[in-house]
Each structure stands twice: as structure tokens, then as C-alpha cells.
Amino acid sequence: MLHIPCPHCGLRNETEFHYGAEAGVAYPDPNAITDSEWAKYLHIRSNPKGWHAERWVHFAGCGRWFNLWRNTITHEIGPVYLPFTTQPKSPDNL
Amino acid sequence: MSEVSFIFDHKVYKGYKGEPLAAALLRNGLLSITNSTYHNRPRSVIGLGVEEPNAIVQLTSGTQESMLPATVIEVEDGLAACSLTGVGSLPEMPDEARYDKTNHYVDVLVIGAGLAGLKAADEHLRAGREVLLVDDQPEPGGHVRHLGLELSSAMQDVLKHKNLTYLRSCTAIGLYDQNYIVAVERRNGQQKKSLQNKTALIRVWHIRADHAVLAPGAFQRPLIFANNDRPGIMLSHSAATYVAKYAVNIFKTAVIVTVDNQGYRDALRLHNAGVKVHGIFDARSEASGKSVDAVKAAGIPVQYRATVLDTTSNEEGILQSIIMQELDTNKTFQVQADLLAISGGWTPIVDLATHIGIKPQWSEEHAAFIVCRSSDKLTTVGMLAGDFGSDDKPAVFFGPTLDAEQARYAYIDLQRDATLHDLSRAVGAGLSSIEHIKRYTTIGTAHDQGKTSGMLTIGALCQLSAVAKDGIQNLSPADIGTLSFRPPYIPVSFAVLAGRERGLLSDPIRITALHQLHVDAGAVFEDVGQWKRPWYFPKPGESMNDAVRRECIAARNTVAVMDASTLGKIDIQGPDAAIFLDRIYTNMFSNLPAGQCRYGLMCKADGIVFDDGVTTRLGENHFLMTTTTGGAARVLAWLEEWLQTEWPDLKVYCTSVTEHISTIALVGPKSRQLLRELVTDIDLSKDAFPFMHSKTATIDNIPVRIARISFSGELAFEINIEWGYARHIWERLWTLGRSYDLTAYGTETMHVLRAEKGYVIMGQDTDGTQTPYDLNMSWIVSKKKEFIGKRSFQLSYLNSKGRPQLVGLLPEKENEVIPEGAYITVLDAQADEFGKTSHIGFVTSSYYSPALSRAFALALIAGGLNRMGEVVAVPVGEKVLQASICDAIFIDKENIRRD
């Protein structure tokens, strides 16, 4: 069970959160892209082995969405950041 | 210690309160406790704790729990148990004991109260930290306790420290990410109390620690030799502990076979307790140390480079003599003894470390896998970290070389009756991975999860590889690696994990403000998510079909009423609320005038329909959205996700008001007439109050909001009231409704009525792959604006010809209601060249319609909208029914009835 630092409420158990897939996938302008680009937006995510920027929502707490870096091998949690703020560097590059 | 009576296999024995049942059984001379699962061979206790593979028993008193090792059950007055042959049975009655759980946050968690654990706890306490110490034994001290020694006063002080919490008989069963640990605390001696006073028998601890110290210690391991399973053969540490600490005096003569100095220490304990030790047979060529010197001083003979090859038994299968082998000459000789004590080396308990993915390292020096960790989060100490606390140099030795016949009775996993022969067969079949071999031979898959057999398997595999001609060759344990252990470390019953969350407390139950009235009216309920909804309201003697038919007729011919309060309701406010809804729904909401309602459909970005419902515009910047009963939380989360992560510029606030507003649906041609008696301050006529309009009114001075919404196609009014007033309004309707023969209806009738009108239920008539077009709802997809999912409708796969589409289905036989979920195929006449009739869809909703006087159904059929009139086959059991495809709207296509 992950221990997730909600930027608004502090450290909480994973059971209070929902996972929201990869962070930083921009919603494209639907009318400016091809079918295959749209399909890529819908279905293709990076799924790395190692550090991964992802979205979480503290649904059983403050209800707010936020982003964090998580290592998919060790489950270590890296920097946490709010939506519409600059994504911190991957802990690999620190 | 006080003497008490207990029952084992229907006989009364004496034992001491608090001692392990295994010790009491041995002292009473019960050497052969049970027969093995597959080979039916007599077996006795070999271990001291949770590693015990043989002596598995079932309680016949108290909770009647099954599959417990006799080594961990504590004797208490009135205890009753019986032996098992590998398979337990669940008691007939429910487990009435109380089980609890608790959360704990702590600076440092120390697992294991042996010397290493206590020392680690001491260091952290000195540094000013709070420490939680859990230990699976009833008393602290680990091996020190088994040796019958007292803890030093310094260690006693550690246990008394004010910043230390010590949990005895508490086993850590799982180590998870970020130092989350689950432990179960057995509160021994509580059986009777728990059943009578509901004190907790077992408590589950959910622990989060800044730092975890693993000091779990080690299990002694056996050796592989022929007939190594006979009663009378035990691990030396267990044998010496039972004899010296628990006064088990059934053994007269003992032989020690060892690969390390532990055998010497145990030989001394047996010798000092009065057992005649014939000799120590050590696989090593030399040994030194304090214990070796002490053995020599005591006059116990030692023979190096010798080990046990085979054993013989008496008629009862109990050990009689031991066949020894000189390892350098292969010469054999026989020794008589009633105890064969084996010391095959130590296996540190790596289980918890492997739970979080740590790979133990092979140490030739220790002849064991160890885990050395020291990080700011996790430290391993004691035997797990290779600190065996002695001057020992154990041999890497798992048993003598055996011939094929001997291998058949050379047991590796006693509980599974898996032998060296089985292992050879696995290797012969080409398996080389320890994980594959485990599954092929079943070694390590029993109740004990290979606590004594895992390392033996690895050792035996190395020995086999040394003589292998091809495939695996000359493997060392380092090449093989350990098995991956998974939580729980010991078996834990479901009752323990469930705690108090059983029965009514297993899941929240949600009821409406009118629930008790429905109960009083004799409603039969169905679960919709966590909600209890009336399913139908049978009158005395009525079947479900009778009741539903009567309810349907009332709604279509006179007037009927339903509690629709479970509908999800979301209050949406803000200057950008209309723009927001335009983006969420496939159809337009910004052009909806205040005081009007509109049915809306929402899709996910992939174009798949996700939820639906009617949304009312209460004011310029204020909407009340309704969702499906099951979808309320999902939809709110969806709205929030878009507002927070894509459109933070929109000023919109969403609030769940499901439990604030009760909804009563009044349905039927006479509904307006009945409502007029109750609502006098607004004009309810069709011209003043058109369909899909919403107005505020009062009933008995209670403010209500009434909407002309119909989920049946009939004239209908939905009355929204504050939750607390709902009961009053419902009761008033019933008083006035008597002269109208007002009928209450439940969800089943609601389903029939809506299906007759072709109204879709998300999740019943859809399977998570339908677009609005697949549901024949192109009319609801706006061409004028952007909304979530719109772009996907251009994708080729959402426009392919064979997509399942929602259609109606009329069974050939008018009274034959096709089961929901039934497969639909083409007729035999359309079979392909191989005689196959292809599957083209399935039935999603199916009922008998009193209005149509026939059965009807809705179905998803490949390309269904272009197959109108086609007759299809519906195989149901042995029968093949026939039905014809038709439009999904069965009643009132012209929408006349709703006014």
C-alpha cells in the first residue's frame, strides 16, 4: 500500500486515492489532428519501467487532482506537483 | 505453571497452561500424531513454531478453527482438538469470536524480539524514537527462550521502556511498499472470553513505520535421507527444547546428525536432561568451538564425515534404528535410538524481505540465503543479516547421495509428501527454474509454504545438477536463488481479515427517506449498488409476475407511484455552467431555457456512451443534473476531473445532492387528476405545464419542484422534495390516491415500462462498447459544438458495418420470455459452408409486456438497425427459440400518451 503525499492533506494511504494514468498528456485540438494522432491520444501511454509522472485524485479526502513522480519498480514516490504547474524533472535527472 | 485438562482425538490428557499443544502431546507419549496426506505414513511434530509441516490439527472447541500447527496452539483448560490428515474442514456454524483491526503509526517497527531485535530496539529507544516491537512467540527472547535461559536485565529494561510497545504472539504477515506492515496478534487464552464477552480473539495491526527493522531469526532445516519422516526424527533444536524446557521425557537414547555446531549445543541439552546421546555424526571433517569442547568434556562421542542414510521402524512406523554412512568410504553401520535429532543448518526467514522484492544473497560461509540491508527505511539484523552469533562454520550439506529406491522415501516437503524422487522427475522433465519445479512437484505449496522444505529443494537441486549429464549442471544455490514468498507469512482466516465488517457491516446500506413505508407495504427489495430499492410490491398470494403485471397495468391505465430518490443528483452552479454542460453532454444545454428539462447523454473521450439522465435548468447559472443510480459517484468524479485538470478557467461548482432531494414519480393517465388535488398553486394543464418543463409549487406549504419527466412514455410528474419531507408527501399521495386505486411500483415494473418505450438503461442495454449511433440515438449528437468524445465518431472502427446495435426483438411464441443474456445466432438456413451458424449478438433486456400482451426484448445485434424483420435463432438450453428483429420502441411511437 503506497503512502501518498496529498499536496493539500499530507501523507495518506493509497486506499484514499484513485489513480488517473500518465500525467502531462495534453488534450489535443480534436480538429487539428489525424485519426491516428487522436487514437494515439486516446490509447497510447508511455508505461515506463522506472520513474513515471502520473495523475492521482484524493477522492476520499479533499477530492483534488494532483501529479507525482513514482518509480514503477521500487514504488518510491518522487516530487509532487499541482496541475498547470511546471513538471519537476524526473528524479533520474536530478 | 498450572496443570489443566485438554482433549485430543476424544481422549482427555493433562498439560500445563500456556505451553504449546505439541509439547503436551509429546509428554503424553503421542509421538505419532497424524498420518500424511498422500502416502498415509505416520508423522510426528518436528518443529517448534509456524514452520511445523506435520502436526496440523483442528480445534474442536471454541472457534473450531482448522489447519493450525500444534506447535502454536497454547494449552488452556477445556481445549479440544483433533488430528487432521492434511485436509481441514470448515465448521458448520459461523465463527462467533470477535476480531478487530487497528491502525498504528510509529517511528520504528522491530519485527522479532530475539536478541538482535531487542538490541536494535534498544538503540532506537536510546536515540529518542518510539518503537513498536512485534514477536510471534508468547514470550520474548527468541532462541534464548527456547534454551530456557533468562533475558539479561539490560534486555528486560528495554521491554519496560516507556517508548516501547511490545506485542507478544503477534506475527508480521506482510511487508508492503513504504514500510506498511500487516501483523496479526493472537490473544491466546481469549477463546472463551471472546465468545462470551466479545473481546477480540485476534487483532489485525495495520502499521506504518518510518523505519522497519527485520529481525525474524531463522528456522532449523532437516536433511534429505531415506525414510526421514518417521516419528522419532525431529529437528535437534526442537527436540532439545521439548526435552529440556517442556520436560518431555519419552526419549531414552538419541543420535545427533549435524552439519553445524547447533547439533553439539542440542546434544548437550539432551545429555544434561538425562537422555543418553549415542553420538554426534557430523558431515564436516572437523569442528571447533565452545560447544564442541563441551561435548567432548561430557564424553559424548563425535564422528566426523558421517551422516544418516536411512532409518528403520517398528510395526507402528516409529523410529527404531538408524543406518549411518561414512561419507568418505560409503561404509554403512546401524545404530539403535528412539530419537534422531537433525541439525541441517539454519534457514534465515527471508519471507518478509522478499515481499517487497528484495532478492536474498547466497552465503557459502553461512550455508544460507541472507539479506543484508541498512537504509534509512529498512534494516535487517540478526540471523537474517548473517549474524549467527557463534563461532560456527556450517557445511553446505543437504543429505547423502541416494539411490533411486531410497529417493522414493526421502521426503523434501513432508506436508505435500513430495520426495527427492519427485524432484528428480521434475529435473528429468527438463525443468530447471525453482519456480517451475515448485509448481510441478507441489513442494512449498502447502499450508507451511515451504518453511522447512524450500532450502532443501534448492540444495537437492544442486546435488542433482552435480551428476546431471545435460541441462542443469553444477548449480550452486546462488545460481538457483530462493523462491519468491508472498504475503501472508502464515495462514490467516477470512474471519480475522474481515474483522467486524461482516454481515450488515460488510458494506454500507443506503436507504431512501421512504424505506420504512416500503417495508411496511411488503415490498421485495433489490440491491442497486449500495441502495435498497423496492423491486416489486406483491399483494398477499401474488407471485412476482402477478405483481409486476398489476403494477404495469396501473401505470398504463390509471395511476401508479414510485420512489425514484436513488437517482444520482448533482447540483451544478456557476457563470460557466451552461458552457460546461455543452462540453460534457453530446447534445446542447446552453440553449435550454430556465425552467425546462432535457435528456442528455455523455460519452468518454473514446466516443463510448457512459451515463445519461435528465438535467433541469433551474436558473441562468444553475442546473440540476440527474444520473443513473449506480453512476452518481462516477459522474461527479468525471465532472471534477475535467474541471480540475483541463478547464480550470471555467467557473463551475458541482455538488452531490443525491441524499438531499427525494424524488417521487407519479405515472399514468390519471396522474394529473390526482396531483391536482394536492397541488393547487400552479396550473398543471398540458398547455400551462408542457412536457419537459419544471415548476416550483407547494404541497401543504412544503416547497416542491415538479417536472414533467416520463421514463415510461405515460403522462407523468416527478416531484422533488427535500429528503425530510418526502414521507409526508408520499403519505398524502396515498390518502388521496385511495379513490384512484393508486398503485406503488418497483424497479421491475419501471424496467418493463421503459423497455416498452425503448428507453435504454446504461450498463444493461450497453456493455461499454456502444456509441450513441449504436443505440440509434444519432438525434442526440450535436453537430454544432465540441463535446467530449465527438472526435472519436470519425474513427473508422466506430463506423464499421458489423457493430452491435440496439434493436427490439419479438419472440415467435408470444408467451416465451427469452432469458436476458441469451446468445443470438443466424438461422440454420444461413449457416456457413462449415455448417456453423454465427453468433450475431445477445439479449440485453427481456420482459413480458401486459400492454402488448406478449413477451418482448431488447438486444444488441451486429448491424441490427439494417436487419429489421429478420428472423434469428436464440439457443436457450436444449431449445432453439426464434424471434424477429424490430424497432426498439414498442409503444406509442408518436409520443401521444405523455401529454
Side-chain angles (χ1 to χ4, degrees), chain B residues 6-27:
Chain B
F6 67 93
I7 296 169
F8 187 75
D9 280 345
H10 311 293
K11 278 194 202 136
V12 180
Y13 297 96
K14 296 269 186 222
Y16 295 105
K17 188 171 158 50
E19 71 173 338
L21 177 61
L25 293 175
L26 285 171
R27 193 178 325 95

Side-chain angles (χ1 to χ4, degrees), chain A residues 1-4 12-14 25-27 30-31 33-36 38-39 41-43 55 57 63-65 74-77 83-84, chain B residues 103 105 176-178 180 206 208 605-607 637 640-648 786-792 794-797:
Chain A
M1 166 125 52
L2 296 174
H3 214 199
I4 298 174
R12 293 287 196 278
N13 276 339
E14 186 183 343
V25 180
Y27 188 76
N31 301 312
I33 57 171
T34 63
D35 281 1
S36 71
W38 178 252
Y41 160 73
L42 288 177
H43 304 298
R55 308 188 315 151
V57 60
R64 307 279 289 277
W65 282 88
T74 62
H75 297 302
E76 202 180 334
I77 290 178
F84 306 104
Chain B
N103 290 298
Y105 295 81
Y176 305 86
D177 301 318
Q178 288 143 8
Y180 181 73
H206 296 266
R208 185 76 76 168
D606 57 6
E640 278 294 332
E641 181 178 344
W642 285 90
L643 282 174
Q644 288 184 37
T645 67
E646 287 296 337
W647 307 321
E786 275 303 322
F787 56 85
I788 299 168
K790 185 179 189 183
R791 178 66 178 82
S792 294
Q794 294 171 35
L795 298 176
S796 57
Y797 64 87

Side-chain angles (χ1 to χ4, degrees), chain B residues 534-655:
Chain B
W535 193 11
Y536 57 98
F537 291 85
K539 288 193 167 169
E542 268 186 344
S543 68
M544 176 171 171
N545 282 344
D546 296 340
V548 170
R549 201 167 291 203
R550 175 176 51 74
E551 292 170 16
C552 285
I553 290 167
R556 293 260 181 243
N557 295 350
T558 52
V559 57
V561 66
M562 165 177 199
D563 179 5
S565 305
T566 63
L567 274 181
K569 293 175 274 291
I570 301 169
D571 185 273
I572 300 171
Q573 300 193 39
D576 296 317
I579 300 170
F580 177 57
L581 290 180
D582 276 351
R583 294 185 191 178
I584 290 290
Y585 280 124
T586 62
N587 48 339
M588 193 84 92
F589 275 77
S590 53
N591 62 359
L592 181 71
Q596 290 193 30
C597 324
R598 186 166 284 169
Y599 172 77
L601 201 62
M602 49 181 96
C603 292
K604 291 259 165 130
D606 57 6
I608 302 302
V609 174
F610 148 65
D611 207 87
D612 67 344
V614 171
T615 289
T616 306
R617 189 168 202 165
L618 302 176
E620 177 61 23
N621 298 328
H622 191 185
F623 292 83
L624 180 66
M625 173 187 278
T626 62
T627 72
T628 56
T629 294
R634 233 181 357 248
V635 172
L636 182 61
W638 177 245
L639 302 181
E640 278 294 332
E641 181 178 344
W642 285 90
L643 282 174
Q644 288 184 37
T645 67
E646 287 296 337
W647 307 321
D649 50 316
L650 292 188
K651 289 196 174 63
V652 181
Y653 296 91
C654 304
T655 312

Side-chain angles (χ1 to χ4, degrees), chain B residues 265-285:
Chain B
R265 288 190 282 272
D266 295 329
L268 280 169
R269 290 166 73 198
L270 289 167
H271 172 82
N272 293 340
V275 178
K276 177 169 170 46
V277 179
H278 267 306
I280 297 176
F281 299 89
D282 191 333
R284 298 174 294 181
S285 47

Side-chain angles (χ1 to χ4, degrees), chain B residues 313-373:
Chain B
S313 71
N314 66 16
E315 289 113 44
E316 281 129 44
I318 290 172
L319 178 74
Q320 201 166 37
S321 72
I322 304 151
I323 297 151
M324 309 298 305
Q325 184 181 43
E326 288 178 5
L327 285 166
D328 295 325
T329 62
N330 287 345
K331 253 177 38 193
T332 61
F333 55 95
Q334 205 157 343
V335 189
Q336 305 287 319
D338 51 16
L339 171 65
L340 172 55
I342 307 287
S343 178
W346 291 107
T347 300
I349 302 170
V350 299
D351 301 44
L352 287 173
T354 68
H355 288 177
I356 52 166
I358 294 174
K359 299 261 177 249
Q361 298 300 308
W362 172 250
S363 165
E364 195 78 10
E365 180 196 338
H366 298 89
F369 281 96
I370 60 175
V371 177
C372 298
R373 271 287 160 123

